[in-house]
Coordinates of all heavy atoms in Angstrom, one line a residue:
P13 N 0.8 -1.2 0.0 CA 0.0 0.0 0.0 C 0.9 1.3 0.0 O 1.9 1.3 0.5 CB -0.8 -0.1 1.3 CG 0.0 -1.0 2.2 CD 0.7 -2.0 1.3
S14 N 0.3 2.3 -0.6 CA 1.0 3.6 -0.7 C 1.0 4.3 0.6 O 0.0 4.4 1.2 CB 0.4 4.5 -1.8 OG 1.0 5.8 -1.7
S15 N 2.2 4.7 1.1 CA 2.3 5.4 2.4 C 3.3 6.6 2.3 O 3.7 7.1 3.3 CB 2.6 4.5 3.5 OG 3.9 3.9 3.3
G16 N 3.7 6.9 1.1 CA 4.7 7.9 0.9 C 4.2 9.3 1.2 O 2.9 9.5 1.3
R17 N 5.0 10.3 1.3 CA 4.6 11.7 1.5 C 4.9 12.5 0.3 O 6.0 12.6 -0.1 CB 5.3 12.3 2.7 CG 5.0 11.6 4.0 CD 5.9 12.2 5.2 NE 5.5 11.5 6.4 CZ 4.6 12.0 7.2 NH1 3.9 13.0 6.9 NH2 4.3 11.4 8.4
D18 N 3.8 13.0 -0.4 CA 4.0 13.8 -1.6 C 2.8 14.8 -1.6 O 2.0 14.8 -0.8 CB 4.1 13.0 -2.9 CG 3.0 12.1 -3.1 OD1 1.8 12.5 -2.8 OD2 3.2 11.0 -3.6
E19 N 2.8 15.6 -2.7 CA 1.8 16.7 -2.8 C 0.4 16.1 -3.1 O -0.5 16.9 -3.1 CB 2.2 17.7 -3.9 CG 2.3 17.0 -5.2 CD 2.7 18.0 -6.3 OE1 3.1 19.1 -6.0 OE2 2.6 17.6 -7.5
S20 N 0.3 14.8 -3.3 CA -1.0 14.3 -3.7 C -1.9 14.0 -2.5 O -3.0 13.7 -2.6 CB -0.8 13.0 -4.5 OG -0.2 12.0 -3.6
G21 N -1.3 14.2 -1.2 CA -2.1 14.0 0.0 C -1.8 12.8 0.8 O -2.6 12.3 1.6
A22 N -0.6 12.2 0.6 CA -0.2 10.9 1.3 C -0.1 11.1 2.8 O -0.2 10.2 3.5 CB 1.1 10.4 0.7
D23 N 0.1 12.4 3.3 CA 0.1 12.6 4.7 C -1.2 12.3 5.4 O -1.2 12.0 6.6 CB 0.4 14.1 5.0 CG 1.9 14.4 4.7 OD1 2.7 13.5 4.6 OD2 2.2 15.6 4.6
W24 N -2.3 12.3 4.6 CA -3.6 12.1 5.2 C -4.3 10.9 4.7 O -5.4 10.6 5.1 CB -4.5 13.3 4.9 CG -3.9 14.6 5.3 CD1 -3.3 15.5 4.5 CD2 -3.7 15.1 6.6 NE1 -2.8 16.6 5.2 CE2 -3.0 16.3 6.5 CE3 -4.1 14.6 7.9 CZ2 -2.7 17.1 7.7 CZ3 -3.7 15.3 9.0 CH2 -3.1 16.5 8.9
G25 N -3.7 10.0 3.9 CA -4.3 8.8 3.5 C -3.3 7.8 2.8 O -2.1 8.1 2.7
R26 N -3.9 6.7 2.5 CA -3.1 5.7 1.8 C -4.0 4.9 0.9 O -5.2 4.9 1.1 CB -2.3 4.8 2.8 CG -3.3 4.0 3.7 CD -2.5 3.2 4.7 NE -3.4 2.4 5.5 CZ -3.8 1.2 5.2 NH1 -3.5 0.6 4.1 NH2 -4.6 0.5 6.0
V27 N -3.3 4.1 0.0 CA -4.1 3.2 -0.9 C -3.6 1.8 -0.6 O -2.3 1.5 -0.7 CB -3.9 3.5 -2.4 CG1 -4.7 2.5 -3.2 CG2 -4.3 5.0 -2.7
D28 N -4.5 0.9 -0.2 CA -4.1 -0.4 0.2 C -3.8 -1.2 -1.1 O -4.1 -0.8 -2.2 CB -5.2 -1.1 1.0 CG -4.6 -2.1 2.0 OD1 -3.4 -2.5 1.8 OD2 -5.4 -2.6 2.9
A29 N -3.2 -2.4 -0.8 CA -2.8 -3.3 -2.0 C -4.0 -3.7 -2.8 O -3.9 -3.9 -4.1 CB -2.1 -4.5 -1.5
D30 N -5.2 -3.8 -2.2 CA -6.4 -4.2 -3.0 C -7.1 -3.0 -3.6 O -8.2 -3.1 -4.2 CB -7.4 -4.9 -2.1 CG -7.9 -4.0 -0.9 OD1 -7.4 -2.8 -0.8 OD2 -8.7 -4.5 -0.1
G31 N -6.5 -1.7 -3.5 CA -7.0 -0.5 -4.1 C -7.9 0.3 -3.2 O -8.4 1.3 -3.6
T32 N -8.1 -0.2 -2.0 CA -9.0 0.6 -1.0 C -8.2 1.8 -0.6 O -7.1 1.8 -0.2 CB -9.3 -0.3 0.2 OG1 -10.0 -1.5 -0.2 CG2 -10.2 0.5 1.1
V33 N -8.9 3.0 -0.6 CA -8.3 4.3 -0.2 C -8.8 4.6 1.2 O -10.0 4.5 1.5 CB -8.8 5.4 -1.2 CG1 -8.2 6.7 -0.7 CG2 -8.4 5.1 -2.6
Y34 N -7.8 4.8 2.1 CA -8.1 5.1 3.5 C -7.7 6.6 3.8 O -6.7 7.1 3.3 CB -7.2 4.2 4.4 CG -7.7 2.7 4.4 CD1 -7.1 1.8 3.5 CD2 -8.7 2.3 5.2 CE1 -7.5 0.5 3.4 CE2 -9.1 1.0 5.2 CZ -8.5 0.1 4.3 OH -8.9 -1.2 4.2
L35 N -8.5 7.2 4.7 CA -8.3 8.5 5.2 C -7.8 8.4 6.6 O -8.4 7.7 7.4 CB -9.6 9.3 5.1 CG -9.6 10.7 5.9 CD1 -8.7 11.7 5.2 CD2 -11.0 11.2 6.0
R36 N -6.8 9.1 6.9 CA -6.3 9.2 8.3 C -6.9 10.4 9.0 O -6.9 11.5 8.6 CB -4.8 9.4 8.3 CG -4.0 8.2 7.7 CD -2.5 8.4 8.0 NE -1.7 7.3 7.4 CZ -1.0 7.4 6.2 NH1 -1.0 8.5 5.6 NH2 -0.3 6.4 5.8
T37 N -7.5 10.1 10.2 CA -8.1 11.1 11.0 C -7.6 11.0 12.5 O -6.9 10.0 12.8 CB -9.6 11.1 11.0 OG1 -10.0 9.9 11.7 CG2 -10.1 11.1 9.6
A38 N -7.9 11.9 13.4 CA -7.5 11.7 14.8 C -8.1 10.5 15.4 O -7.6 10.0 16.4 CB -7.9 13.0 15.5
D39 N -9.3 10.0 14.9 CA -9.9 8.8 15.4 C -9.5 7.6 14.8 O -10.0 6.5 15.1 CB -11.5 9.0 15.3 CG -12.0 10.2 16.0 OD1 -11.4 10.5 17.1 OD2 -13.0 10.8 15.6
G40 N -8.5 7.7 13.8 CA -8.1 6.5 13.1 C -8.4 6.6 11.7 O -8.7 7.6 11.1
E41 N -8.2 5.4 11.0 CA -8.4 5.4 9.5 C -9.8 4.9 9.2 O -10.5 4.2 10.0 CB -7.4 4.4 8.9 CG -6.0 4.8 8.9 CD -5.1 3.9 8.1 OE1 -5.5 2.7 7.9 OE2 -4.0 4.3 7.7
R42 N -10.3 5.4 8.0 CA -11.6 4.9 7.5 C -11.5 4.9 6.0 O -10.8 5.7 5.4 CB -12.8 5.7 8.0 CG -12.8 7.1 7.5 CD -14.1 7.8 7.9 NE -14.2 9.2 7.6 CZ -14.6 9.6 6.4 NH1 -15.0 8.8 5.5 NH2 -14.7 10.9 6.1
A43 N -12.2 3.9 5.4 CA -12.1 3.7 4.0 C -13.0 4.8 3.4 O -14.2 5.0 3.8 CB -12.6 2.3 3.6
V44 N -12.5 5.4 2.3 CA -13.3 6.5 1.6 C -13.6 6.2 0.2 O -14.3 6.9 -0.5 CB -12.6 7.8 1.8 CG1 -12.5 8.3 3.2 CG2 -11.2 7.8 1.1

């Protein structure tokens, strides 16, 4: 899964190996 830091928003989310996009929040991650 993508976890790098770049201008596309990786500080706040990631893409899992199956293509699921996750958002990072103070309460944890959620699929968006």
